[in-house]
Amino acid sequence: MPRLGKLEAAVMDVLWSADGALTVRDVLEKMPPQRNLAYTTVMTVLSNLHRKGMVVREPAGRAYNYRPTVSREGAAAASLREILDAADDPRSVLLYFAETASEEESTVLRDGLARRDSLS
């Protein structure tokens, strides 16, 4: 999964928070006003996200409707996978994470591993 720049991440946040597909205008209207973005800037970001495979677009008249191809959770998990794959010692990274995880996070991890093991 490609890394996202700050503006790409902000646009993806808008798409992930939406109930359905959005046009460029819809995304622009939902962006924080302090960003003060041009329509063409948002259009370029969405085109880049489409090229990267992060969004699909469907014709909607003379425009496109955009929707994410991956969930927020899926994107976060892919980023973690990328970090582990790039690490010289992924085992140490995982162990460090486990040592710093909260009790709730530890429980979630244990439950997830148990569920995975039961499917095998």
Side-chain angles (χ1 to χ4, degrees):
M1 166 155 303
R3 292 186 187 255
L4 298 177
K6 287 183 181 181
L7 188 51
E8 290 174 328
V11 168
M12 288 302 297
D13 281 338
V14 168
L15 292 171
W16 282 322
S17 299
D19 291 330
L22 300 176
T23 64
V24 173
R25 176 82 46 215
D26 296 332
V27 172
L28 180 60
E29 290 173 359
K30 293 179 184 298
M31 292 293 288
Q34 63 269 26
R35 288 236 179 226
N36 196 26
L37 299 171
Y39 178 93
T40 54
T41 301
V42 175
M43 184 173 62
T44 299
V45 170
L46 284 164
S47 291
N48 289 340
L49 290 168
H50 178 258
R51 183 180 43 77
K52 291 179 177 184
M54 296 292 296
V55 300
V56 293
R57 63 183 180 196
E58 297 133 359
R62 292 176 35 161
Y64 287 106
N65 281 325
Y66 293 86
R67 60 183 168 79
T69 59
V70 64
S71 68
R72 184 187 311 264
E73 296 79 12
S79 293
L80 290 173
R81 170 52 49 205
E82 204 174 291
I83 289 167
L84 288 173
D85 289 346
D88 290 336
D89 185 5
R91 185 174 187 270
S92 292
V93 174
L94 283 171
L95 289 173
Y96 182 80
F97 178 77
E99 291 168 1
T100 61
S102 69
E103 194 56 44
E104 181 182 353
E105 291 165 338
S106 296
T107 300
V108 170
L109 286 171
R110 279 192 294 275
D111 292 349
L113 290 171
R115 191 172 0 155
R116 183 196 67 184
D117 291 344
S118 72
L119 295 174
S120 299

